[in-house]
Amino acid sequence: QNGLLTDKTTPTDNRNSRPRSPVNFEIMQKLVTSHACALGVPEEYVFLPLLSCVAGAMGRAEVSVSEEWRERCALWCAVVGRRGSKRTATLNRFIGAANQPRRAPLDSPLFTHTAVAELLSDIRDDVHLNTILHEDLSQVLEVLLKDSKVNLSRLKRLYDSTPTTGGSPALNMAGFVVAEDAQTFMETQTVDLLSRFLIACPPDVLYYSKDLKVPMPSNTPSLSEILDVLNVQHTEPRLYSLTGNAKLLFNQYYDRYIETLRDLSADARRYCHVAKAPGQLVRLSCVLCALRQALKYVVYQEDINSGTWNFDIGQEDVEASKIIVDQVLKTKFSLLDARPRVE
């Protein structure tokens, strides 16, 4: 099956050859496509930051896989994109949506799009940052990892799965990596950190003026309203779980990843990325489940105070997440293969 994320690493300007979305949910696809066509950017530019922002709006939410296994609903996403390809303009869409008035108070800033020096200072001082959005994640990670007070273990703890219900929200992160430095990014940053990222390397998309859809269709779901619904529904710590059929499907996928790991026992770089895939699949399933419900509230103008919210993750969310995670793995492996290994 084709996915929204592509494993192509060679730029192309043929927009008609791009694969379709793996999230075959019509409203979600409309949201992503409308913003991408208005900006003149690949859909990945919108979709991956959207996932991290939704996870950020979910606050302290977790998903239970079993009695012994919980995952934070935190997502780190990186898109490979050229300079001058409207990366900042794309992120500013989410910044603008986050700055709108909220119906429920936030316990920390929802999004931060700031200078790396300020970001470093905040992390040093334990200022909680719900979601970091930055146009050059390679620079962000390089600065953070060189700082004596912000070590690798500390960064990983902001992502990793722990029983945090009632505790501080996890850190979410999204942004871009410069296209010409994508392979270097994969090789020079610690694989143990990069294995936590969902990475997309979309082909170039060149829009003619007639293809730009500005203004967007009037019925495009509002990013601000989506985030508002999610924030209201997650003012308290929430625990999601898989339905029976979703759990059976996840177990099948989990076993396939285990078989892949057996084949990669001698390849430490790929092994580390595949080992993180089951956890990413669960997190992503939870985020898609919440996003679809928020879209329903916004599109059908439902009363957020009287409606119901389902914390059971369905099979369709697991299936869509598997497609995305597998495309991410293909992208990572393509980037690893494209550059000689640095010793």
Side-chain angles (χ1 to χ4, degrees):
Q1 301 185 61
N2 290 328
L4 179 62
L5 307 182
T6 174
D7 61 342
K8 296 178 181 178
T9 55
T10 302
T12 176
D13 59 6
N14 186 358
R15 185 155 57 95
N16 294 327
S17 69
R18 290 175 52 72
R20 301 305 301 164
S21 169
V23 187
N24 56 353
F25 309 139
E26 183 178 351
I27 299 175
M28 193 182 301
Q29 177 66 61
K30 178 181 179 61
L31 172 70
V32 173
T33 301
S34 294
H35 283 277
C37 289
L39 287 163
V41 299
E43 290 179 351
E44 289 87 343
Y45 276 41
V46 177
F47 185 55
L48 265 72
L50 174 64
L51 294 176
S52 291
C53 292
V54 169
M58 294 169 68
R60 297 177 177 85
E62 295 180 352
V63 54
S64 174
V65 183
S66 67
E67 292 184 3
E68 303 296 331
W69 183 5
R70 286 189 184 183
E71 290 280 344
R72 290 179 170 185
C73 291
L75 291 176
W76 291 1
C77 299
V79 183
V80 177
R82 298 177 186 271
R83 294 185 179 90
S85 61
K86 301 181 181 178
R87 302 180 305 175
T88 301
T90 302
L91 295 182
N92 282 341
R93 292 255 166 165
F94 297 99
I95 300 296
N99 287 337
Q100 297 299 313
R102 308 247 75 84
R103 279 179 281 187
L106 292 169
D107 60 0
S108 59
L110 190 55
F111 306 137
T112 299
H113 185 203
T114 184
V116 178
E118 296 175 9
L119 175 60
L120 178 60
S121 176
D122 285 342
I123 293 182
R124 278 176 174 172
D125 297 338
D126 287 324
V127 175
H128 176 64
L129 303 174
N130 186 297
T131 304
I132 295 172
L133 298 179
H134 203 279
E135 67 172 14
D136 192 347
L137 289 178
S138 182
Q139 180 188 13
V140 170
L141 293 180
E142 182 179 359
V143 171
L144 293 180
L145 291 174
K146 285 183 177 179
D147 187 81
S148 59
K149 294 184 179 180
V150 185
N151 55 34
L152 176 61
S153 297
R154 186 173 179 182
L155 281 177
K156 291 192 296 185
R157 283 198 301 271
L158 295 174
Y159 173 96
D160 285 344
S161 58
T162 54
T164 59
T165 301
S168 298
L171 173 68
N172 297 276
M173 194 183 316
F176 296 89
V177 180
V178 181
E180 55 267 31
D181 293 340
Q183 289 86 9
T184 304
F185 177 73
M186 288 292 293
E187 288 289 352
T188 59
Q189 301 293 345
T190 170
V191 67
D192 200 25
L193 188 65
L194 289 182
S195 63
R196 289 160 171 78
F197 276 89
L198 300 175
I199 298 179
C201 187
D204 292 340
V205 175
L206 303 178
Y207 284 75
Y208 291 103
S209 57
K210 63 181 177 64
D211 295 323
L212 295 172
K213 306 299 182 183
V214 181
M216 293 188 298
S218 59
N219 60 347
T220 301
S222 164
L223 286 175
S224 178
E225 292 181 10
I226 291 168
L227 297 175
D228 199 21
V229 169
L230 289 163
N231 182 225
V232 169
Q233 293 291 353
H234 296 85
T235 53
E236 299 294 329
R238 300 296 191 180
L239 182 62
Y240 287 76
S241 60
L242 301 171
T243 65
N245 288 336
K247 182 64 180 298
L248 289 174
L249 184 62
F250 172 76
N251 287 342
Q252 294 176 19
Y253 293 155
Y254 179 86
D255 290 344
R256 293 178 191 175
Y257 286 129
I258 295 301
E259 289 301 318
T260 302
L261 288 175
R262 292 181 183 276
D263 296 335
L264 293 175
S265 59
D267 189 337
R269 295 184 302 166
R270 285 171 174 76
Y271 188 100
C272 191
H273 291 293
V274 176
K276 286 295 180 184
Q280 290 174 328
L281 194 157
V282 171
R283 293 169 183 238
L284 190 52
S285 298
C286 186
V287 170
L288 292 180
C289 175
L291 175 55
R292 288 197 302 112
Q293 293 185 77
L295 282 166
K296 180 172 68 73
Y297 271 89
V298 172
V299 170
Y300 298 108
Q301 300 181 342
E302 297 184 7
D303 184 355
I304 193 172
N305 296 313
S306 61
T308 59
W309 193 268
N310 186 8
F311 297 99
D312 296 324
I313 301 169
Q315 181 175 336
E316 65 273 23
D317 297 306
V318 175
E319 289 175 338
S321 299
K322 175 65 160 54
I323 296 172
I324 295 172
V325 171
D326 284 356
Q327 289 294 331
V328 166
L329 288 174
K330 290 180 181 178
T331 298
K332 290 179 175 180
F333 292 173
S334 294
L335 291 172
L336 289 172
D337 290 339
R339 185 179 180 89
R341 183 173 182 178
V342 176
E343 298 296 342

